[in-house]
Amino acid sequence: MILAIFCEAFKTKVSRNANMAKLQAGYLFPEIARRRATHLLKYPDAQVISLGIGDTTEPIPEVITSAMAKRSHALTTLEGYSGYGAEQGEKQLRAAIASTFYGDLGIEEGDIFVSDGAKCDISRLQVLFGSNVTMAVQDPSYPAYVDSSVIMGQTGLFQKDFEKYGNIEYMRCTPENGFFPDLSSVSRTDVIFFCSPNNPTGIAATREQLTRLVKFAKDNGSIIVYDSAYAMYMSDDSPRSIFEIPGAKEVAIETSSFSKYAGFTGVRLGWTVVPKELLFSDGFSVAKDFNRIVCTCFNGASNIAQAGGLACLSPEGLKGMRDVIGFYKENTEIIMDTFNSLGFNVYGGKNAPYVWVHFPGRSSWDVFAEILEKTHVVTTPGSGFGPGGEGFIRVSAFGHRGNVLEASKRIKQLYK
Ligand SMILES: Cc1ncc(COP(=O)(O)O)c(C=O)c1O
């Protein structure tokens, strides 16, 4: 009895946010990390190779790190010191992003909000929209869209039978529909999250498909949040930006990132484009409200990271980024060849550093567990990206070459 009193933890009188309680188990990637740690306890000597989480592995080009070092060092001098900067980002960087990525698309410096990454911007966009909007996502999709929507209170409870949250429109993307949703069967929502090239499927939408998406948004008066975090990985001539589609500025926001271009997953730098043409139903500017959110919830990206971003967009920086991306694209080919040679149906890869492998009729978590147990290679179970990912695994091309080759050898042995 006395022991029970001592062991009982003190509880505050603050009730838990009911929306947090709706979230399922762990966020996908921490759950994978947990399983990897358990695996290592079982096989302490195993050489585990991670092609799972999608974190970059190769060094940042020197021209970029030396610009950051210079800016960092300048902070120790009176002349070079700077404190808070503009919440929206430094003028020069905003202008460089506008000209590099949106050249003649009519996107201007003032439309760009520099940030500490696309994931953070996705959450800030949810704060912008509030809890009364409805949302649609590709199924499967990057988990941050759905989870941030749940946290904001836009959704109902998780329905175990369907593996879906109530009040979210899941737009199924399968090999049968070319990984582009059948818009004729999609209900109207206020916000449509759309990621292209897609994480996890690795598929990029074509110009014709995006034209249909923009028309769909316009017909329904919806706002598209377009995530182009992998645009620089594209090999074909599909659009790099939603703003390549005429009329998109009236219905779309675009978020993107230096994370996968320059190895900035740890440095943290991204941006969001909110065109001045985009208006709410009462005619108020979406950009003005987003500016208010950014000024309230964020105090601007790190000045050192922004110096790095500017260096990324210099001619040498662009070359450096393209070289690193080219390296990961070679990894992608090795992974695609591996699964193709084993007779699997393999998707993606061409326009993104992700390969989407089909294991028809099998549970994704079972395949994940089988590959981990028998080869010590960490992948990502497709069902972690939504019910449409069941039966698939995602294999990431981020990794040192030796590890990718070794993983390929082990997987070939397992499934030969
Ligand atoms: C589609 C997509 N969007 C956004 C992000 C997050 O990017 P950032 O590192 O800029 O927060 C990722 C990271 O994996 C991603 O895959």
Side-chain angles (χ1 to χ4, degrees), residues 241-252:
S241 162
I242 190 70
F243 301 118
E244 289 186 36
I245 309 300
K249 288 202 216 74
E250 290 167 0
V251 292

Side-chain angles (χ1 to χ4, degrees), residues 129 134 136 187-192 213-225 248 250-253 278-279:
F129 292 125
T134 51
S187 300
R188 182 208 174 269
T189 59
D190 295 310
V191 180
I192 303 168
L213 182 70
V214 166
K215 179 173 184 315
F216 180 75
K218 208 161 237 175
D219 289 347
N220 286 310
S222 308
I223 294 179
I224 300 166
V225 176
E250 290 167 0
V251 292
I253 289 169
L278 186 65
L279 306 176

Side-chain angles (χ1 to χ4, degrees), residues 32 107 122 139 247 313 329 408:
I32 291 171
I107 297 295
I122 290 161
D139 176 25
L313 304 181
K329 283 176 77 70
S408 157

